[in-house]
Amino acid sequence: PSVDAYAYPNPFSPRRHELVRIKYEVQSAGNVQIRLFDFGMNLIRELDSGQYSAGTYEAVWDGRNANGRQVANGPVFYQIDTPENTIRGKILVID
């Protein structure tokens, strides 16, 4: 099947892996925004935003929120807004 984005390693342990990588593809040039949400869909952190040309990219996350604190165990949802669509996925944080 066609996959627009994926995160690895998943499940993610900040203590063991240090970083999780989110690989995604942008089909056409334009503004891209990557945001992370907790189970209640509260914004945890914004990873990347800006103008991107078409291509494949990778964002990294260290398991911390916008205040620098380690997030709690559980699912973290990512949303990648690109010029042509919105891509959503899930990262399971286990530490």
Side-chain angles (χ1 to χ4, degrees):
S2 175
V3 176
D4 293 324
Y6 60 91
Y8 64 96
N10 196 3
F12 166 60
S13 169
R15 194 174 331 171
R16 288 187 55 218
H17 302 116
E18 293 183 29
L19 296 172
V20 63
R21 300 173 190 288
I22 302 170
K23 193 163 189 155
Y24 61 97
E25 189 170 332
V26 176
Q27 299 293 327
S28 58
N31 192 46
V32 174
Q33 182 179 36
I34 302 173
R35 294 176 292 164
L36 301 173
F37 300 91
D38 65 13
F39 188 73
M41 294 311 289
N42 301 302
L43 181 65
I44 294 174
R45 188 166 168 188
E46 186 171 317
L47 293 183
D48 288 328
S49 65
Q51 295 291 319
Y52 288 79
S53 57
T56 302
Y57 297 91
E58 189 174 84
V60 294
W61 178 51
D62 59 2
R64 299 187 179 279
N65 66 18
N67 297 325
R69 293 190 178 121
Q70 182 69 42
V71 300
N73 288 345
V76 171
F77 301 96
Y78 60 86
Q79 179 172 311
I80 305 168
D81 295 310
T82 69
E84 59 279 340
N85 65 358
T86 297
I87 306 163
R88 292 182 180 93
K90 175 174 54 175
I91 302 166
L92 183 58
V93 177
I94 300 175
D95 208 12

